[in-house]
Amino acid sequence: MAKKKKELYLSDRQPLNLGGVIMLVLSYAILIFWAFAILWPLSQMVISAFNGKQYDYLISNSVFEFSTIHFDYLFKETLYLTWVKNTILIAVTTAVLTILIVSFTGYAYSRFRFKGRKPSLMAIMLIQTIPSFAGITAYFTMYSILNSITPVFTRQLMLIMIYVGGGIASNTFILKGYIDSISTELDDAAKIDGCSNMQVYRLIIMPIVRPMLAIIALWSFIGPFMDYLLPSVLLTSPESYTLAAGLFTLINNRETLNQPAFAAGGLLTAIPIVILFAALQKQLVSGLAKGSVKG
């Protein structure tokens, strides 16, 4: 009897049966639908932002004619550049302070055992369960107290404190878990070579946790761009608005209603976030290999 030729496959996985084929088709159908649900609104926003035929300041299915009139309106008739400056200032300050503090707190909670460690970790976990809008009354009280002590303390500084406080509470626990996965043998080897705790932190731990710090920096930077509730409540003058609060004035008031300009502002708002994401991608890749080698 002639031996049957064995079928060769490019992997060890067996060919899909009928059920597997159905599940694969269903998975692709869900992914395609999800991609359409995301890309269609984005495409409508891009078309509306560059469509000069929408003179009625409402997004509609009018004939497309490329124009930048909505961007001109955004720069000339609104305080868009002021909102951009305010948002970038708040976002950068929030990201820098969050990274600076979280890098120390995450390292301390992971590598040191001190009195009150577990209760404070529990408190950090509980703080994450409290929504930010639930503390609006407390924020106003804190602002009144601090502003009475020093008039230099502005509402924007109060907003930065809220963002940094929330970032520390959530990211400390995340970074601690990340550092816990790093072997303490690296710390011991460095200490044998004469490194202090600070040198271990700077030369060993920091390069390894750089990918996680990059993610935390990205989250902290994006927060002020995406948040509308707190800026709209705490900031009272249009000159102090962030982008989310400022752009919302273009769609919530009949006198200033301009939906295409709002779409144009949304497109421009994404530019700093995309630039930061592209810059941090290098850190996400290069940080994985550095720091694990002692020396």
Side-chain angles (χ1 to χ4, degrees):
M1 295 178 64
K3 295 182 179 180
K4 293 183 178 180
K5 294 183 179 179
K6 294 183 178 180
E7 295 183 0
L8 299 179
Y9 302 100
L10 296 179
S11 67
D12 294 333
R13 298 183 61 182
Q14 296 297 319
L16 294 175
N17 53 24
L18 180 61
V21 172
I22 294 175
M23 291 302 298
L24 182 63
V25 172
L26 182 61
S27 299
Y28 275 103
I30 294 175
L31 290 175
I32 293 172
F33 173 78
W34 186 254
F36 176 80
I38 295 175
L39 294 177
W40 186 81
L42 291 177
S43 65
Q44 293 300 306
M45 184 171 66
V46 173
I47 293 172
S48 300
F50 290 99
N51 191 358
K53 286 291 186 179
Q54 297 181 356
Y55 296 113
D56 56 354
Y57 302 119
L58 292 174
I59 293 178
S60 59
N61 295 324
S62 58
V63 178
F64 180 80
E65 179 182 315
F66 181 83
S67 175
T68 60
I69 59 173
H70 303 306
F71 293 92
D72 295 337
Y73 175 88
L74 201 64
F75 288 108
K76 295 178 181 179
E77 304 296 332
T78 69
L79 298 173
Y80 182 79
L81 293 179
T82 302
W83 300 336
V84 171
K85 181 187 68 175
N86 295 339
T87 307
I88 291 179
L89 176 63
I90 293 173
V92 171
T93 305
T94 299
V96 171
L97 291 178
T98 301
I99 287 295
L100 182 63
I101 298 174
V102 167
S103 62
F104 284 108
T105 56
Y107 174 65
Y109 276 110
S110 176
R111 289 297 193 257
F112 297 97
R113 301 296 181 266
F114 50 88
K115 188 176 181 180
R117 177 176 174 272
K118 290 184 178 180
S120 57
L121 277 175
M122 186 62 66
I124 291 174
M125 293 180 62
L126 292 176
I127 289 175
Q128 298 180 57
T129 63
I130 303 175
S132 58
F133 64 84
I136 290 178
T137 304
Y139 300 151
F140 272 110
T141 303
M142 293 172 59
Y143 168 75
S144 301
I145 295 173
L146 294 173
N147 184 257
S148 62
I149 296 174
T150 169
V152 180
F153 190 83
T154 63
R155 292 177 179 268
Q156 289 182 340
L157 287 177
M158 185 67 204
L159 195 61
I160 291 173
M161 285 185 57
I162 296 172
Y163 288 144
V164 173
I168 293 172
S170 58
N171 293 316
T172 293
F173 196 78
I174 296 174
L175 188 62
K176 173 195 172 298
Y178 193 88
I179 297 177
D180 285 343
S181 65
I182 301 174
S183 175
T184 56
E185 293 180 358
L186 293 173
D187 302 34
D188 297 336
K191 290 179 180 178
I192 291 175
D193 290 343
C195 292
S196 62
N197 289 325
M198 183 57 68
Q199 288 175 322
V200 172
Y201 162 81
R202 181 171 60 87
L203 300 176
I204 305 298
I205 301 299
M206 284 296 291
I208 299 178
V209 302
R210 188 178 297 170
M212 181 56 66
L213 292 178
I215 294 174
I216 294 174
L218 185 62
W219 287 346
S220 302
F221 185 82
I222 291 176
F225 279 86
M226 301 292 104
D227 185 30
Y228 162 74
L229 179 61
L230 289 178
S232 63
V233 173
L234 291 176
L235 305 178
T236 55
S237 63
E239 292 77 12
S240 64
Y241 282 167
T242 59
L243 276 170
L247 290 176
F248 189 73
T249 61
L250 298 177
I251 58 174
N252 72 335
N253 192 333
R254 288 184 176 273
E255 297 179 358
T256 59
L257 180 64
N258 195 326
Q259 292 180 357
F262 176 82
L267 287 179
L268 294 178
T269 301
I271 293 177
I273 299 175
V274 172
I275 292 174
L276 180 63
F277 180 79
L280 291 180
Q281 273 191 320
K282 298 178 181 179
Q283 300 297 329
L284 292 174
V285 175
S286 62
L288 293 173
K290 294 181 180 179
S292 59
V293 180
K294 180 170 63 70

